[in-house]
Amino acid sequence: MKHATIRWLGACLLSAAAALPATAAPSHLDSIAQRGTLRVCTTGDYLPYSLLRADGGYEGIDIALAQSLAASLEVPVTWVPTRWATLLPDLLADRCDIAVGGISVSLQRQRHAWFSAVLDVDGKIPLVRCADQQRYRDIAQIDRAEVRVIEPRGGTNEAFARRELPQARLTLSDDNTAIFRELLEGRADVMITDASEARFQQRRMHGLCAVNPQQPLQYSEKAFLLPRDDMAWKAYVDQWLHLSKASGEY
């Protein structure tokens, strides 16, 4: 009886130990300090947020913000090149601590990663040749078999086009920066993108126009993409962002 009781107690202790959570992995907040660098994934093809220059350096709104975040941690930035189709896999593979560059908040991404506090509110709109502004103002005008839609491969622009424009002729590009020339030179008719990018390209490339940027076809938000389940790291990024906005640096 005594031995049976001991075995029973032992089994109970083993069951209780198995029910305890595993030791938590170190936060990226600690790993960054130990490593001495902030690893930042970015596509480098999405102005005004992130652009890879010919000299190998990066520029853009989110690039400056990532550098400010790194400075707050007293470490330099290590840039990790990625593409929209591999952005989330690269983050999940721990190739970077944070991903930046005009990233739209989506529930599909939220299932696998976390987002920082919202940076800005945006929305999907058509970018077209200025002569065609009246032809492509809404979904009904664009979702037609003769309309040529072009999007970067991967990301929320492609997802929007596949979901909302099934009748249109969709072409995917592996070079986001080349899409605007395709539109200008008449090899494509419409790019669905965020109002922020459309407005920027309208100022940058004569002949392209953002259609109804005040009335987007879909509401969206911009944020940084973070590893899931690392509350300490997310809390730090959100607090840094809050202080940056409060101080005027943002």
Side-chain angles (χ1 to χ4, degrees):
M1 184 70 177
K2 179 179 178 182
H3 294 298
T5 301
I6 291 173
R7 286 197 299 271
W8 177 80
L9 288 172
C12 289
L13 290 172
L14 287 172
S15 298
L20 291 174
T23 303
S27 170
H28 284 74
L29 186 60
D30 301 317
S31 300
I32 291 164
Q34 294 167 3
R35 189 189 315 117
T37 185
L38 173 65
R39 303 170 303 166
V40 180
C41 281
T42 192
T43 61
D45 65 353
Y46 190 18
L47 284 169
Y49 300 102
S50 171
L51 177 68
L52 176 61
R53 301 190 304 261
D55 64 5
Y58 286 88
E59 64 181 58
I61 296 170
D62 281 13
I63 299 303
L65 287 171
Q67 290 168 330
S68 173
L69 174 60
S72 77
L73 293 161
E74 301 180 341
V75 298
V77 173
T78 296
W79 302 110
V80 180
T82 188
R83 293 182 176 272
W84 290 107
T86 59
L87 179 69
L88 186 57
D90 282 344
L91 183 75
L92 296 178
D94 194 32
R95 296 189 177 97
C96 50
D97 306 298
I98 188 170
V100 311
I103 299 171
S104 296
V105 175
S106 74
L107 293 178
Q108 189 277 332
R109 287 171 174 156
Q110 185 75 60
R111 289 200 294 268
H112 305 283
W114 279 359
F115 287 99
S116 70
V118 172
L119 297 166
D120 202 0
V121 173
D122 213 335
K124 303 295 185 189
I125 67 168
L127 178 67
V128 304
R129 290 179 295 278
C130 293
D132 292 335
Q133 288 183 83
Q134 298 304 316
R135 294 181 62 186
Y136 305 121
R137 299 185 66 83
D138 56 35
I139 295 293
Q141 289 179 305
I142 301 171
D143 188 25
R144 301 168 65 89
E146 66 271 19
V147 179
R148 299 166 299 171
V149 174
I150 187 168
E151 305 294 348
R153 190 182 307 278
T156 57
N157 290 347
E158 179 190 348
F160 180 93
R162 290 193 181 281
R163 183 178 65 252
E164 302 293 340
L165 306 170
Q167 304 304 315
R169 292 162 53 190
L170 176 62
T171 297
L172 300 179
S173 173
D174 290 317
D175 184 358
N176 191 38
T177 60
I179 288 177
F180 312 109
R181 183 60 56 186
E182 295 294 297
L183 290 171
L184 273 177
E185 296 180 359
R187 290 186 289 273
D189 301 312
V190 180
M191 178 191 189
I192 299 295
T193 188
D194 295 307
S196 52
E197 181 179 41
R199 282 170 157 164
F200 185 87
Q201 294 299 337
Q202 176 179 260
R203 292 194 299 271
R204 181 171 175 263
M205 302 192 73
H206 179 71
L208 293 183
C209 283
V211 179
N212 289 337
Q214 294 83 11
Q215 297 179 315
L217 303 175
Q218 178 194 49
Y219 173 87
S220 68
E221 297 173 338
K222 297 294 186 190
F224 295 146
L225 196 62
L226 301 168
R228 195 176 73 174
D229 301 330
D230 189 343
M231 195 63 221
W233 178 221
K234 174 174 166 54
Y236 184 90
V237 172
D238 287 349
Q239 185 69 287
W240 160 81
L241 181 58
H242 164 72
L243 294 175
S244 295
K245 289 183 175 181
S247 69
E249 180 182 2
Y250 176 83

